[in-house]
Amino acid sequence: MNRRAFCLTAAAAAAWSAPQPATGPKLAPRFGDGRDWWFQKRFGMFVHWGLYAIHGYHEQEQWRLRVPRSEYVKLQQQWNPVKFDPNAWLDLAAQTGMKYVCLTTKHHDGFCLWDTKQTSYNTMNTPYGKDIVRLLADACHRRGVPLCLYYSIADWHQPNYPNQGRSHELPPQPGDQPDLARYLEYLKAQVRELCTNYGEINGIWWDMNVDKHVDPSINQMVRQLQPKAVINNRGFDPGDFGTPERDTDTSGEAALTFDQRTEACQSVGSESWGYRKDEDYYDDRHLLRSIDKYLARDANYLLNVGPKPDGTIPAESAAILQRIGKWYGAVKESLEGATPASQLTANRNILLTRKGNVVYVHLHRDPLAESVKLKPLAVAPRRATLLNTGQPVSFALDLAPSDHTEQKAYLRLRKLPVNEMPNTVLVVKLEFDAGFGG
């Protein structure tokens, strides 16, 4: 934009300087070892898949529909995902901009997607007869995609797990022999298989420690076997990172960045994580804003899909991911390798990220107007560009009526296409002259 177009008052000229905050953003501590891959590859694909896909109701079908164990186990003989192609999953992840994958190796129902020697309740003893984890791990290794493995601590099948009818537990079932110590030996043997038989594993994602049992030795075993594996906080000690789920944890909403390692998780479907035939899908705007608000604040993000019983990703889910990928491809420079910089502005309806002299403005909330004020920023960029379209953005450095008390001019982005593009997250790239302090 030609600077002659600016409305510069004397007050504006006096304010022609960037703010100098006392300190920059406090970022989550890095590991300083092989686990630091997690900070370079921050957008991942979560996959919930198992016997529950067959009926297409919910991954907790057995619990939510009060299905007796004796009935649910019959699904094992129907497991035959003949169209499963791990490369198709990875192709979709790549189109979306996702850099790693996390697979549910065993959900609460206890059915195992690998060739475990600890139970016959696994994919090898089905009409399919193939090791799902092996197929996916081999594909990930060939393509250089980090693979993380989800493992549910709650188990509705294994007789030693102490099901007591608590949250996410079955009531006691015929044949149960509740014994937590014996169950933990079973768990450790299974996790040892997963960490030993499938090459490099980059993460263990625990879930549902209903008993809140503490045993740091289990994560220590994982670290010994797989030193590059990140471990979440839902297991037997605090692990490496927190896991806010489905945007329901609002405790960190006001934070400008996360000073603790964080990986948010969300599913494309509002009702389930596993495949659901009649799913109610989130709209694109909700998902894009969720992704942006975490990635722009130095967190990771796992977005989940639930494959159908034949192993294919539902067309609706794939279309959602492809649309997200189109947005992500346009704005990824504002998220990958960028540092949170929202401390530069008092405007809490936006987020800022930064790379040197370039600042990115993220409209992750409903815009209140077609302009965005960046008070107290009072320096004009050389160029402003809407990353979503590549089009230039008009801006001004002037005294807005609402800032009359300070009698200072602040940077304002003008005429943004908020009405023309209401179902996305707009991201504006601001390129400042060398030496921009901010």
Side-chain angles (χ1 to χ4, degrees):
M1 182 185 219
N2 191 320
R3 291 191 178 182
R4 287 178 298 182
F6 295 179
C7 175
L8 286 176
T9 63
W16 189 274
S17 62
Q20 298 290 335
T23 59
K26 182 181 179 183
L27 301 181
R30 276 39 180 170
F31 298 108
D33 55 33
R35 293 171 291 173
D36 277 345
W37 70 266
W38 194 71
F39 292 102
Q40 280 74 54
K41 301 175 185 287
R42 296 173 49 229
F43 185 22
M45 173 185 275
F46 213 173
V47 181
H48 276 62
W49 196 37
L51 296 182
Y52 39 83
I54 293 171
H55 288 159
Y57 177 74
H58 192 278
E59 73 280 357
Q60 297 174 17
E61 171 187 344
Q62 187 178 4
W63 179 57
R64 297 194 179 210
L65 294 183
R66 316 297 192 262
V67 181
R69 181 187 295 160
S70 58
E71 287 298 314
Y72 187 84
V73 296
K74 295 176 182 178
L75 292 175
Q76 182 175 6
Q77 294 312 311
Q78 299 179 44
W79 179 252
N80 195 16
V82 293
K83 294 184 179 180
F84 168 55
D85 177 2
N87 284 301
W89 290 11
L90 296 181
D91 287 345
L92 180 59
Q95 291 171 26
T96 312
M98 295 164 164
K99 303 296 196 300
Y100 64 106
V101 176
C102 184
L103 172 71
T104 51
T105 63
K106 175 177 80 85
H107 206 259
H108 312 336
D109 65 354
F111 181 71
C112 302
L113 294 185
W114 79 99
D115 185 10
T116 177
K117 306 308 180 188
Q118 311 308 315
T119 177
S120 61
Y121 197 47
N122 69 68
T123 183
M124 306 305 291
N125 301 302
T126 68
Y128 187 62
K130 296 177 185 177
D131 188 328
I132 300 293
V133 174
R134 169 71 61 202
L135 294 171
L136 181 58
D138 288 350
C140 285
H141 294 148
R142 283 193 300 268
R143 298 174 62 155
V145 177
L147 176 62
C148 303
L149 302 178
Y150 168 111
Y151 187 98
S152 172
I153 297 168
D155 193 313
W156 301 332
H157 180 81
Q158 214 279 343
N160 295 136
Y161 180 80
N163 278 293
Q164 301 173 26
R166 297 170 291 190
S167 178
H168 296 85
E169 285 186 345
L170 296 184
Q173 302 285 302
D176 276 357
Q177 301 172 27
D179 186 328
L180 181 60
R182 289 181 64 185
Y183 174 71
L184 290 176
E185 289 305 311
Y186 169 84
L187 176 151
K188 286 186 281 189
Q190 287 207 314
V191 173
R192 190 176 294 110
E193 289 176 341
L194 292 170
C195 290
T196 303
N197 299 337
Y198 297 94
E200 184 172 283
I201 299 299
N202 292 89
I204 293 293
W205 212 99
W206 300 110
D207 199 13
M208 210 50 64
N209 183 1
V210 178
D211 201 50
K212 301 189 184 304
H213 182 74
V214 176
D215 184 352
S217 71
I218 298 177
N219 279 354
Q220 289 170 9
M221 176 188 72
V222 172
R223 298 192 196 291
Q224 201 169 41
L225 296 171
Q226 294 288 347
K228 292 184 180 179
V230 292
I231 304 173
N232 74 343
N233 66 339
R234 300 190 185 190
F236 303 99
D237 67 28
D240 295 326
F241 61 90
T243 53
E245 182 173 323
R246 277 200 187 276
D247 301 292
T248 56
D249 181 354
T250 60
S251 59
E253 284 293 306
L256 300 186
T257 187
F258 291 95
D259 57 10
Q260 298 296 319
R261 292 181 289 260
T262 299
E263 178 190 70
C265 57
Q266 173 65 288
S267 185
V268 296
S270 67
E271 284 284 347
S272 65
W273 295 75
Y275 170 61
R276 179 174 176 239
K277 291 178 181 177
D278 187 28
E279 183 58 281
D280 301 316
Y281 291 96
Y282 286 114
D283 65 10
D284 293 357
R285 179 170 65 174
H286 175 74
L287 292 175
L288 292 177
R289 292 179 179 185
S290 179
I291 294 166
D292 188 82
K293 75 178 180 181
Y294 281 102
L295 293 183
R297 294 185 294 160
D298 197 41
N300 283 36
Y301 200 94
L302 272 182
L303 183 59
N304 176 81
V305 291
K308 295 163 67 175
D310 65 2
T312 60
I313 305 294
E316 299 92 338
S317 299
I320 290 170
L321 263 58
Q322 287 162 350
R323 292 195 297 271
I324 289 172
K326 185 177 180 180
W327 169 82
Y328 188 82
V331 307
K332 66 180 180 181
E333 70 171 83
S334 70
L335 299 168
E336 296 181 0
T339 303
S342 296
Q343 78 281 357
L344 295 178
T345 180
N347 187 343
R348 290 296 163 254
N349 287 317
I350 61 172
L351 292 169
L352 303 182
T353 56
R354 180 177 183 177
K355 291 179 180 177
N357 294 324
V358 178
V359 174
Y360 302 94
V361 183
H362 301 254
L363 277 68
H364 70 298
R365 293 180 174 167
D366 279 322
L368 301 179
E370 61 181 5
S371 66
V372 169
K373 295 173 69 174
L374 294 170
K375 179 181 178 179
L377 269 179
V379 59
R382 289 187 293 105
R383 186 182 299 110
T385 307
L386 183 64
L387 289 183
N388 308 67
T389 64
Q391 297 299 308
V393 170
S394 173
F395 57 89
L397 190 70
D398 57 10
L399 175 59
S402 55
D403 294 322
H404 68 93
T405 302
E406 297 95 328
Q407 285 293 296
K408 291 183 179 180
Y410 300 112
L411 179 60
R412 178 169 56 96
L413 307 182
R414 305 174 60 250
K415 304 298 181 183
L416 292 167
V418 294
N419 294 316
E420 296 81 0
M421 302 178 67
N423 293 320
T424 189
V425 172
L426 302 178
V427 181
V428 180
K429 177 181 182 179
L430 304 178
E431 300 172 73
F432 292 92
D433 288 328
F436 171 71

